[in-house]
Amino acid sequence: MMELLTYSIRFLSMFLSCLYCYTKLAGIKLKVIDLLFIPVFAVISAGLYYVWRYVRIAVPVCIYVLSTVAFFVRYRRRFYDVISINTIAMGVMVVLMAAASLCSLIVSIPAHLLPKQFQDIVVVASFCVLLMIFTLITFSIKRFKNGIATGKNDEVLERLILAGAICIFGMTLTYTSNGRAAFLELGCIFIAFCCLSLIIWWRKLVSTNYRKQILNRNVEILQESVAACEDERTKLAEQNEELAKIIHRDNKLLPAMEIAVKSLCEKYRDDEQAQALFESINAMFSERAQAVETFYTKSDVPAQTGILTLDSILKLLYGKAAENGTQFFVDANKDAVAALAEKITEITDLNTLLCDLGENALIAVKNIDNGKVKIIFGEEDGFPAMKIFDNGAQFDEKVITEMGRSKVTTHGNDGGSGIGLSNAFLILNSYSVSFCIDETIKDDMFTKCVIICADGKGLHRIKTERENVKKICASRNDFYSTENL
């Protein structure tokens, strides 16, 4: 019984240390409800005692798997992010546990003076207290307060995951049993470690290939944009040349005609028709002057973002909107654009989001009268955000059901493939950027809005009044509907 109690306390302290490390690394603020972890982990720790007695080597793996499941259920983050951060958190915990074990050896020396039944409790209690103290001290250091942003720097993250896996591997070695069975256990551990390394390498390869594809795609988009701008510039130059010829001609002929008409009106001063003609000529000259001024001062170019590639994509979207007769508006706050670019560090990813989601909005309004699309770079709940409004139909229920899971589209006849929205979710998840759909906007011009908010939470939300959509969200573990965003 005493052995069960001491090992349960030891395992509980390891779980709580891992919990604190995970929340700090993930940037999660602990709440009162998180105290429920204590009884849950206490029960699990008691069960781990029997694992330790009969399958000792499985203890580290059980701690890792059970804590991962608990954190996933509680915090509802992307499963891969939970696995990644918990691997690092448990690695940190193993290092701190080793330090606490060494320090507790000092306490174990005078503990031998106590009765046998109290010796283990004193040693274990000192170990648990030291482990929690070391954990709190580690994350009170300024360098470790900001946590880890998954997707921000994949190379650093992968190195930390590998280091955490090595620590877990080392911890597992300490739980091997004595005797010939240890060779088999060590072989299993080695194979598992190799498999984990292979998975990390494979993911890095896939990620690298994906980024190359995105880069090539953005290069093609920019080349098309440059070609379109060059064609537009050529057309405008030709139009300006023609207009210059007309104005040059009219500047000579019209004044001469005006003088001739005035002379004629002077000759027939008392004729009412002549006076009416004279007034009509003056009105025509005034209208012409105003038209020429309007031609040169009117600007259809969208607001500038301050980033050349984003401006190029906005011009490309504007050109496509003009071809379809769609009204296209842009409201870009340069400070918000810069802040968004700081959160989504790869500019190619930000370009991809703007291009894919902007094209989706244009497709949504392509076949309706008086189609409107508006893109705003601003803030949402104090975080930099990109908002894309349109007055097209609401998202199809089929699209919402598969959104972020697979490629799906209801605009196949218009060239839609679903790859744009699928790529968008890959990028959003890699930066923990939240994706929101608002179908209840109070704006007579638009029917829905897609919001990309760089809040570091990685949430997927839909604000809707459609009951079927609410049921779809309830059936998914990565989307939820809400009345208040």
Side-chain angles (χ1 to χ4, degrees), residues 221-237 301-302 304 308-319 323:
I221 291 174
L222 291 176
Q223 288 176 344
E224 292 177 359
S225 177
V226 170
C229 290
E230 185 63 26
D231 291 342
E232 184 180 0
R233 187 194 66 80
T234 302
K235 291 178 182 179
L236 288 175
V301 179
Q304 302 298 302
L308 178 61
T309 53
L310 290 179
D311 290 340
S312 300
I313 292 174
L314 285 174
K315 290 180 181 178
L316 179 65
L317 295 174
Y318 184 80
E323 291 177 1

Side-chain angles (χ1 to χ4, degrees), residues 6-27:
T6 55
Y7 274 96
S8 297
I9 294 173
R10 177 185 288 268
F11 293 144
L12 176 60
S13 66
M14 293 164 64
F15 273 116
L16 295 179
S17 175
C18 191
L19 168 65
Y20 193 79
C21 292
Y22 175 84
T23 55
K24 287 297 181 181
L25 291 173

Side-chain angles (χ1 to χ4, degrees), residues 337-357:
V337 174
L340 192 61
E342 288 181 2
K343 298 292 184 180
I344 304 177
T345 53
E346 291 291 339
I347 192 64
T348 54
D349 290 338
L350 185 56
N351 293 339
T352 301
L353 287 175
L354 174 61
C355 187
D356 288 340
L357 298 178

Side-chain angles (χ1 to χ4, degrees), residues 26-210:
I28 299 172
K29 187 176 181 181
L30 288 170
K31 299 179 180 179
V32 176
I33 193 174
D34 292 319
L35 292 174
L36 293 175
F37 275 119
I38 296 176
V40 172
F41 284 152
V43 174
I44 294 174
S45 298
L48 275 180
Y49 165 72
Y50 296 98
V51 177
W52 177 83
R53 287 198 62 181
Y54 300 108
V55 195
R56 185 175 301 183
I57 193 174
V59 170
V61 175
C62 288
I63 294 175
Y64 175 73
V65 172
L66 292 172
S67 60
T68 300
V69 172
F71 299 156
F72 175 72
V73 172
R74 167 66 182 91
Y75 298 112
R76 311 290 290 182
R77 296 292 182 90
R78 196 163 64 107
F79 192 62
Y80 177 79
D81 292 343
V82 176
I83 293 176
S84 302
I85 297 179
N86 195 35
T87 302
I88 301 170
M90 190 164 173
V92 174
M93 184 270 292
V94 171
V95 174
L96 298 177
M97 186 179 68
S101 298
L102 291 175
C103 294
S104 64
L105 290 176
I106 301 173
V107 180
S108 65
I109 297 173
H112 289 294
L113 301 176
L114 298 173
K116 179 63 178 177
Q117 60 269 27
F118 295 109
Q119 290 180 10
D120 292 339
I121 294 180
V122 172
V123 173
V124 170
S126 62
F127 166 79
C128 297
V129 171
L130 287 170
L131 177 59
M132 297 311 300
I133 291 174
F134 289 163
T135 304
L136 294 173
I137 291 176
T138 299
F139 288 97
S140 65
I141 300 173
K142 185 177 180 181
R143 187 179 185 86
F144 299 105
K145 282 186 176 181
N146 295 328
I148 296 175
T150 55
K152 187 174 183 181
N153 192 330
D154 286 341
E155 186 174 354
V156 174
L157 180 65
E158 287 167 0
R159 289 179 181 177
L160 291 173
I161 293 173
L162 183 60
I166 292 173
C167 291
I168 298 172
F169 175 73
M171 178 183 176
T172 307
L173 292 178
T174 64
Y175 278 81
T176 53
S177 60
N178 297 324
R180 295 180 180 179
F183 291 101
L184 179 60
E185 294 174 355
L186 289 173
C188 294
I189 296 171
F190 180 75
I191 292 172
F193 183 74
C194 290
C195 291
L196 178 62
S197 301
L198 181 62
I199 291 172
I200 294 174
W201 173 81
W202 172 79
R203 180 184 176 276
K204 183 176 181 180
L205 181 63
V206 171
S207 177
T208 302
N209 291 335
Y210 171 73

